[in-house]
Amino acid sequence: MTAPADYAAALRDEALAALDRAGVPGALESWRVEYLGRSGKLTAALRSVAQLPPEERRAAGAAANEAKALLERRLAERRAEIEAALAQNAGAGALDVTLPGRPVPEGRHHPSTIVMREIQAIFRDMGFQIAEGPEVEWDKYNFEMLNIPQDHPARDMFDTFWLDANRAPDGGFTTLLRTHTSPMQARIMEAQEPPIRVIIPGKCYRYEATDATHESQFHQIEGLAVDKGVTFANLKSVLYDFARRMFGPDTRVRFRCDYFPFVEPGVDMAIEWRGDWLEILGAGMVHPNVLRAAGYDPAVYSGFAFGMGPERIAMLKYGVNDIRLFLANDHRFLSQFR
Ligand code: FA5
């Protein structure tokens, strides 16, 4: 059997360990009640000293009293420690409702987004609708319906990311990442009747070596207008108007012949910018084969189409000398635009 003095010492050690674990004022109070309260363990031990045989009473009483004094002292010390820690934390994390709020860093738009929105707003003003289409596209829309059949040499103009999905029985590719937004010309004409006046912004992909003016992922904004009696003069006036709204009212514009299989005649348009002529888009009258493929009678309807690259336009407007900065995700670059 444990001697009463040893029992008091064991109780003391147990209480000290429990005290170390008590970290908040409420836990200290529970501890006090458990060991030093009126029905506490140590109080009970002290009381039981009276029932001991006289020869044990002295040692047991002394041990229990010593333990009690020690625990009371440690309780006071522990309370002071906890209060000091709380006071320090309260100072550090104090909620002062009179302080002004912390500023939330303002988000910014990507330069491509800024330029695309600007371009879209100009065409919206002119009465164009805005449509979007799939980035994973069928060969049929990206090429065939645009007057670029299988094995047509113009396919070399577009270095294509082909996809493994839906391979033809002979193993040929049928799906790809669209190389331009022009497939939406075919999709829109196939789905609706003229009159059509629409622009299509979206991402395009080309399997080409990147350099300061070529990325493998970039945006285009396609434009398409189809109706009875649409002429090349309409195309020119819309694009002149666009250029002057986008780059300033005195901007000079130049058209030169260019070749795209889906337009006839085809042109590229350049603007005069800081003394240089810079091409900003390809355009032309929708090729009769494209109208026919979509189910329109080219004897009745005509149309124009154009396609431009917003990143190249952003490079001009903001003086960016390397297109790869747009997707490099460097905050020092991106934070310069609003
Ligand atoms: C086309 O993609 C034609 N679909 C445009 C068109 C539409 C012509 C309708 C006629 C009628 P092109 O390959 O030139 O054309 O690309 C058009 C624009 O996309 C370019 O002027 C350029 O601004 C942008 N672009 C093309 N390739 C890249 C690239 N690798 N990186 C960044 N921008 C590019």
Side-chain angles (χ1 to χ4, degrees):
M1 207 186 127
T2 319
D6 292 344
Y7 175 69
L11 203 54
R12 177 198 64 201
D13 292 344
E14 175 196 315
L16 286 174
L19 187 60
D20 279 341
R21 288 192 300 271
V24 291
L28 283 188
E29 181 54 18
S30 307
W31 179 92
R32 191 193 63 75
V33 171
E34 183 176 350
Y35 292 100
L36 300 174
R38 221 185 302 173
S39 335
K41 291 180 185 169
L42 195 66
T43 316
L46 269 167
R47 243 183 242 131
S48 64
V49 168
Q51 272 104 58
L52 290 172
E55 64 277 11
E56 289 178 18
R57 233 179 266 165
R58 200 178 145 78
N65 274 320
E66 230 171 76
K68 183 170 185 237
L70 177 69
L71 290 189
E72 280 171 348
R73 201 170 63 242
R74 280 295 299 133
L75 173 64
E77 285 166 8
R78 187 85 184 111
R79 184 172 284 138
E81 273 168 33
I82 289 176
E83 277 168 7
L86 283 178
Q88 200 179 6
N89 283 346
L95 179 66
D96 179 350
V97 292
T98 65
L99 285 174
R102 292 199 190 99
V104 178
E106 206 176 287
R108 286 156 197 268
H109 285 124
H110 192 278
S112 300
T113 306
I114 298 173
V115 165
M116 287 171 72
R117 289 191 176 179
E118 216 175 323
I119 297 169
Q120 284 165 212
I122 292 171
F123 285 104
R124 212 169 38 221
D125 266 8
M126 294 190 211
F128 283 74
Q129 292 179 307
I130 298 178
E132 287 186 349
E135 291 167 29
V136 171
E137 189 53 283
W138 296 99
D139 180 293
K140 174 183 148 190
Y141 291 108
N142 197 83
F143 291 126
E144 275 171 45
M145 288 182 74
L146 296 177
N147 200 29
I148 314 176
Q150 295 288 347
D151 304 321
H152 191 290
R155 288 193 175 216
D156 293 345
M157 292 167 70
F158 304 99
D159 302 295
T160 307
F161 284 109
W162 294 98
L163 300 176
D164 270 330
N166 294 89
R167 295 282 279 263
D170 68 358
F173 294 108
T174 61
T175 53
L176 46 79
L177 294 181
R178 70 177 172 193
T179 57
H180 51 174
T181 42
S182 300
M184 281 302 287
Q185 291 185 31
R187 283 183 175 272
I188 287 172
M189 285 193 270
E190 193 181 57
Q192 68 191 68
E193 293 294 311
I196 289 170
R197 240 185 313 178
V198 66
I199 58 166
I200 305 105
K203 288 195 194 87
C204 305
Y205 304 85
R206 290 193 196 171
Y207 183 58
E208 56 188 337
T210 58
D211 61 26
T213 53
H214 293 85
E215 253 295 4
S216 47
Q217 181 192 317
F218 55 96
H219 290 92
Q220 283 190 347
I221 296 187
E222 190 81 9
L224 175 70
V226 186
D227 202 354
K228 290 178 181 157
V230 173
T231 66
F232 195 82
N234 298 138
L235 167 65
K236 280 182 82 175
S237 77
V238 164
L239 291 181
Y240 269 65
D241 196 19
F242 161 71
R244 288 175 183 152
R245 292 203 209 186
M246 189 76 196
F247 299 100
D250 301 322
T251 305
R252 296 213 300 154
V253 177
R254 185 190 71 187
F255 280 82
R256 285 197 313 195
C257 291
D258 201 350
Y259 171 71
F260 301 96
F262 31 93
V263 288
E264 181 58 37
V267 292
D268 75 56
M269 186 178 103
I271 58 159
E272 197 179 26
W273 188 256
R274 298 187 180 144
D276 279 331
W277 286 103
L278 296 167
E279 282 173 31
I280 60 161
L281 56 85
M285 299 304 290
V286 180
H287 197 289
N289 287 349
V290 176
L291 293 170
R292 251 189 301 270
Y296 288 9
D297 181 352
V300 179
Y301 294 108
S302 56
F304 65 75
F306 56 84
M308 65 181 85
E311 279 81 18
R312 296 262 179 91
I313 292 176
M315 289 172 79
L316 292 183
K317 285 203 84 155
Y318 297 123
V320 176
N321 57 12
D322 194 325
I323 199 169
R324 290 168 291 197
L325 287 166
F326 287 85
L327 291 180
N329 241 353
D330 184 335
H331 193 254
R332 291 168 302 178
F333 173 70
L334 297 175
S335 64
Q336 296 175 58
F337 305 92
R338 284 203 170 270

